[in-house]
Structure formats: C-alpha cells, structure tokens
Amino acid sequence: MSAMLAETRPDEATAVVEAPRRERKRVVIIGGGFAGIAAAHALRHADAEVVLIDRRNHHIFQPLLYQVATAVLSPAEIAAPIRQLEVKQPNLSVVLAEVTGVDVASRTIEASSPGVGVRKIAFDYLVVATGMRPSYFGHDEFARYAPGLKNLSDAETIRAKILGAFELAATTEDESERARQMTFVLVGAGPTGVELAASLAHMVKVTLRGNFRRIDPSKSAIILLDAGNRVLPTFAEPLSRRVTRRLTKLGVKVMTGVKVETVDDKGVIAGGSRIPSATVLWTAGVAASPIPKLLGTKIDRAGRALVDPFLKVVDAPGVFVVGDAASVMQNEHPVPGVAQAAIQEGRYVGRLIAKELMGRKVKRPFRYFDKGNMAVVGKNYAVLERGWLRTSGFLTWLVWAFVHILSLPQLQNRLRVQHQWVWSYFTGQRSSRLIPEPPRTPGADTR
Ligand SMILES: Cc1cc2nc3c(=O)[nH]c(=O)nc-3n(C[C@H](O)[C@H](O)[C@H](O)COP(=O)(O)OP(=O)(O)OC[C@H]3O[C@@H](n4cnc5c(N)ncnc54)[C@H](O)[C@@H]3O)c2cc1C
C-alpha cells in the first residue's frame, strides 16, 4: 500500500523508480533541518549512498527567525544552502524535491520537483526528519489573518505586515483605524511569542523613534495573549514571573488565561472582548508535517510518529523518525521539540545505520542529553534553565548571544550576524527594514 498526500497525488505514469546501485545500500533522508543534516553528517564515512531530500534549497536556523521578522537580520544571514554539503561529503547527494508519498512495503518514496515531475526513489533505510508546521488548533481559517513563524517567507510576511502597519497608521486620517494599525497582537506566549513581542517592543521604542512626523510608534500597543496561566510554560515558574515583569517593563501587555475565539480582518476576539488589530501573529501551536502519517504507524495528537527507544518505526524495518516529527519518551517525559534534541536524534540514527551497515548491532537506545533551555527577552536580558540552575539577566543574555553565534550553520552566517548585532546594539537601528513591492506584470510598466 502506498500512502500519499491527497492534494499532491502524482501521475503514476510519470514516476520512474530510481533504484539504488547494487553494490551500496541507499539511505534516504527526508528533511534538511537540524535532524536530517545531523543524520547525513553521521553517515559521512558509511559505505552507503546517502540521499538528502528537502523541498527548500536551504537550511534555516529557526531560533533567529524572529529577528528576521523584526528586521534585525536579513533572511540570508540565518540560512545556508543545503547543496553545499555535497562538497564536503562524497557519499551524499542533495535533491530539491517535495516528498509526497511513502510506500514502506515496496521501500520507495515519491518526490516531486517543479519542472521535473514525480520520481520514485527506492531506499534501504529511510530517515524521516520533516519537522513541524504551525497549527491553528482546528481553526485553519485564522491562518489567513494571523501568519505563523516557521520559515523565511513567514518571517518576511510578518516583517512586511509590521512595517506596513506603521506606514498605514501614518497615512490614515481616521483615529480608530490608526489605533488599529498600531495594535499588535501575538497569540501564544511560548519562546517564539515572548522573543517576538520583546523585539517588537524595542523596535517601536528605539528603532522607529523619530521616523514618523504624524505618529509616535512608541505609543503602539503590543499584546501577548495565551490561554495558559503563564508565559514560557516549559520554564520554571519563577523564570516565567521574571519574564512577565521584563515584558511589562518593555511595554508589552501580557494577558494569560485568555482564549482566542476568533481572528478576522478586524483583529481578534479573545476572552469575549474584541481587540481591533491589523497585525495578529500566530505563535501558539505546532503540528507535525504530514509525512509521519504516511508511514502507517501510530501518531500522537500533534501528528508525530511514535517511535521505539531506537527511534525506529515499529513494524517498518529500516525506517526511522527523528527531530520534531518524532514523539520520543524519556523517563516518562516527552523529549522536547528543540534543536538540540533534533540534532542528537539525527546523529544517533545516522550512527546506528552506519553501524548496522558494518554488520554491527546497536544495543544502546537513544538518550537525550539536555543542555538547557534559553529564551531572550529584548536587549540585555535572557533566561536560562539547566537542571537546578536558573539564571536571568545581562550575563545570561551574553551566554545566549555567544551560543547562538556559535550554533549558526556556517562561518559566513556567524560573521554577518555578529556584525549586524554589534551595529544594532550600539545604534538601535535595524538594517533589514524592507517592505517588498508587489510583483508587477512584465512589460506593463517601464518606469
Ligand atoms: C520560530 C522558531 C523558533 C525556535 N527557537 C528555538 C530555540 O530558540 N531553541 C531551540 O532549541 N529550538 C527552537 N526552535 C525549535 C527548533 O527549530 C526545532 O526543534 C528544530 O528545527 C527541529 O528540527 P527538525 O530537523 O526536526 O525540523 P526542521 O528544522 O523544521 O526541518 C524540517 C525540514 O524538512 C523539510 N520538509 C518538510 N516536509 C517535507 C517534505 N514533504 N518533503 C521535503 N522536505 C520536507 C523542511 O523543508 C525542513 O527543511 C524554534 C522553532 C521555531 C519555528
């Protein structure tokens, strides 16, 4: 039985099966995020043909996406081309395609590339590392008005929405419309919501100061809503309280215990009251990509595949799920959906496959090593939790900045981000304040 995404069912006649060369086993990895790249890297010395498939040609450093959305960084500064991995790893091929079907029984996947059509690619081992996407908790109609933050195009959409709102506020003569344009609502007070709200607060107070004659951007309302009873629910309560105080000091209105009922073109209805807003941002929920479902295995409520302690899919030999797409339990707690967990899982599976290819059996199940949890709350302030250690403030912020610079995918990103941060720190300016022009019909306008 072959499972496919309904909306992308390909024309069977166009699909040609690419079989592995007989002398080498083929490992197909779907997803060039943190987990997929770690798996590919761990297979660099393996006697195998490694095929890494991603629908994007670039890897994104998601922890800094919020800085692209708030104009601190430009997209290229937090992304790196996946293809360049081929240069360093001779047994690796990178394929730009969207995987639309998986047939565990015949050990093939279907991948569709624009202009090329559908290809069936056979595998001996399959590693699914397809990550998550925003979830609107059954209210997909909200997506139209409240973009989520998952990729570079989301970040650019949000940036354009924020900057565009100030331009419209400065243009309109209508007081209530001006207030609506200058009200920003963020739904979801997890790390992304908190980081985005704090960065936006700094932008309206510092970066945009004096940029408009008719409006004062520092008078904007930034509202962070959450149905839960505190911000950063995955952190210890005292840290949540400190973060709430910090956000309030920055001018963010934190509203917890408030459920969003409607998001529309006028704003949101939350806790029974309407909040007029032209910019609603969705930083609340995530759900797994549809690929784990195609494996025919059990999935949890968020669509993640339930895997065994070796990250294998039960009853599907040689098939693994890693990173955000996997539901992994450790000491009766779920392994968190963070970059470190994805990297460790990808690396573990890559090494496991490399050992199996050498005829060795891996006896040690996956163990997640928690290096700690961090969130940044504007300039000079971050929180860190690692076991019993809980810190916050300027020194923690320095640690945050150092760790993030070192974790960027390539030297070029590290240098560019460092440069932008120093510039922004001392001048308060942000160098990526662009609202893209709408596409024009070729030839329609020659100006
Ligand atoms: C805004 C934001 C901020 C975050 N901040 C932090 C943070 O500060 N610290 C932290 O540790 N974690 C953070 N995270 C979480 C972290 O980024 C994820 O846990 C991590 O990216 C998971 O890695 P992954 O490889 O499983 O998935 P991803 O990195 O999401 O990669 C999945 C890849 O699969 C590809 N893909 C998906 N479906 C298909 C398909 N059908 N065909 C082909 N390719 C496909 C995608 O294009 C993508 O490249 C953040 C996440 C977001 C969204």
Side-chain angles (χ1 to χ4, degrees):
M1 252 296 277
S2 163
M4 270 174 288
L5 301 179
E7 69 273 21
T8 47
R9 176 170 280 274
D11 175 2
E12 288 281 340
T14 63
V16 177
V17 180
E18 286 178 20
R21 279 178 280 139
R22 252 193 235 134
E23 70 274 17
R24 284 179 122 190
K25 299 267 188 204
R26 181 186 284 160
V27 184
V28 170
I29 301 169
I30 315 174
F34 288 100
I37 287 182
H41 186 67
L43 282 157
R44 66 196 178 285
H45 302 303
D47 184 21
E49 186 191 351
V50 182
V51 180
L52 177 60
I53 306 175
D54 201 300
R55 60 184 173 204
R56 298 196 287 247
N57 81 331
H58 53 275
H59 166 71
I60 301 172
F61 188 74
Q62 290 174 351
L64 292 181
L65 264 179
Y66 83 94
Q67 295 209 354
V68 176
T70 49
V72 179
L73 298 173
S74 69
E77 283 156 359
I78 63 156
I82 299 173
R83 173 148 302 287
Q84 71 181 16
L85 297 173
E86 273 195 14
V87 181
K88 296 182 193 148
Q89 191 169 332
N91 69 349
L92 177 74
S93 312
V94 174
V95 176
L96 178 65
E98 170 141 27
V99 172
T100 52
V102 179
D103 190 343
V104 173
S106 72
R107 306 189 80 68
T108 52
I109 57 122
E110 283 179 354
S112 157
S113 317
V116 176
V118 175
R119 289 193 271 177
K120 283 193 179 195
I121 302 175
F123 63 82
D124 296 293
Y125 288 92
L126 178 67
V127 181
V128 173
T130 45
M132 302 289 266
R133 55 188 173 152
S135 161
Y136 290 82
F137 306 120
H139 287 284
D140 288 350
E141 71 277 11
F142 293 175
R144 195 166 153 211
Y145 308 105
L149 183 58
K150 191 71 187 96
N151 55 38
L152 293 174
S153 102
D154 294 339
E156 287 186 293
T157 302
I158 291 175
R159 186 185 66 195
K161 240 175 143 41
I162 294 170
L163 297 173
F166 287 109
E167 297 301 335
L168 292 175
T171 314
T172 183
E173 300 296 335
D174 180 339
E175 275 302 319
S176 61
E177 177 58 13
R178 181 172 303 147
R180 193 179 80 89
Q181 292 293 347
M182 289 173 65
T183 300
F184 302 86
V185 177
L186 293 90
V187 184
T192 304
V194 165
E195 293 179 346
L196 200 51
S199 185
L200 185 53
H202 187 261
M203 181 176 171
V204 302
K205 286 217 166 62
V206 181
T207 313
L208 300 181
R209 188 172 47 202
N211 277 220
F212 295 88
R213 293 219 170 83
R214 300 190 67 221
I215 57 165
D216 177 358
S218 71
K219 299 273 185 315
S220 305
I222 301 168
I223 301 166
L224 182 62
L225 293 177
D226 202 292
N229 59 5
R230 61 188 178 100
V231 305
L232 297 185
T234 53
F235 286 73
E237 250 185 279
L239 287 181
S240 288
R241 280 198 294 274
R242 278 184 233 173
V243 168
T244 304
R245 281 199 295 273
R246 183 75 189 182
L247 286 168
T248 310
K249 200 172 155 196
L250 292 173
V252 176
K253 185 171 179 189
V254 178
M255 293 171 71
T256 49
V258 177
K259 210 168 159 218
V260 168
E261 289 136 37
T262 299
V263 184
D264 56 25
D265 58 345
K266 296 179 192 71
V268 298
I269 298 178
S273 310
R274 176 164 284 283
I275 306 173
S277 168
T279 309
V280 182
L281 307 176
W282 193 261
T283 52
V286 280
S289 91
I291 299 297
K293 210 172 170 187
L294 304 185
L295 301 173
T297 188
K298 280 193 185 149
I299 53 170
D300 68 7
R301 273 175 43 196
R304 290 175 297 219
L306 303 180
V307 286
D308 76 4
F310 297 86
L311 311 183
K312 288 183 178 173
V313 172
V314 182
D315 295 332
V319 179
F320 300 81
V321 185
V322 290
D324 281 2
S327 170
V328 185
M329 295 300 285
Q330 186 166 300
N331 305 333
E332 290 169 32
H333 291 288
V335 171
V338 295
Q340 257 310 315
I343 292 168
Q344 291 176 29
E345 289 170 22
R347 191 186 299 143
Y348 171 85
V349 162
R351 287 179 183 164
L352 184 152
I353 295 172
K355 283 194 178 149
E356 281 198 10
L357 287 168
M358 289 191 288
R360 286 160 51 190
K361 201 163 163 49
V362 172
K363 294 194 187 104
R364 271 195 21 204
F366 172 75
R367 294 290 303 167
Y368 170 56
F369 174 63
D370 187 356
K371 292 188 176 173
N373 221 351
M374 295 186 100
V376 64
V377 195
K379 193 178 176 183
N380 293 342
Y381 193 92
V383 288
L384 161 70
E385 182 171 64
R386 187 180 171 182
W388 51 265
L389 177 72
R390 290 165 196 169
T391 63
S392 59
F394 178 65
L395 284 180
T396 312
W397 177 78
L398 281 181
V399 174
W400 174 88
F402 186 68
V403 167
H404 280 70
I405 288 280
L406 284 187
S407 310
L408 280 157
Q410 48 184 7
L411 179 66
Q412 195 191 1
N413 300 106
R414 282 173 223 145
L415 295 175
R416 288 173 70 176
V417 168
Q418 213 171 321
H419 179 260
Q420 290 298 348
W421 280 0
V422 171
W423 165 255
S424 190
Y425 188 89
F426 289 107
T427 64
Q429 290 310 306
R430 299 186 176 188
S431 52
S432 192
R433 280 170 48 189
L434 310 175
I435 304 174
E437 285 178 83
R440 289 178 189 221
T441 316
D445 186 353
T446 50
R447 276 172 296 157

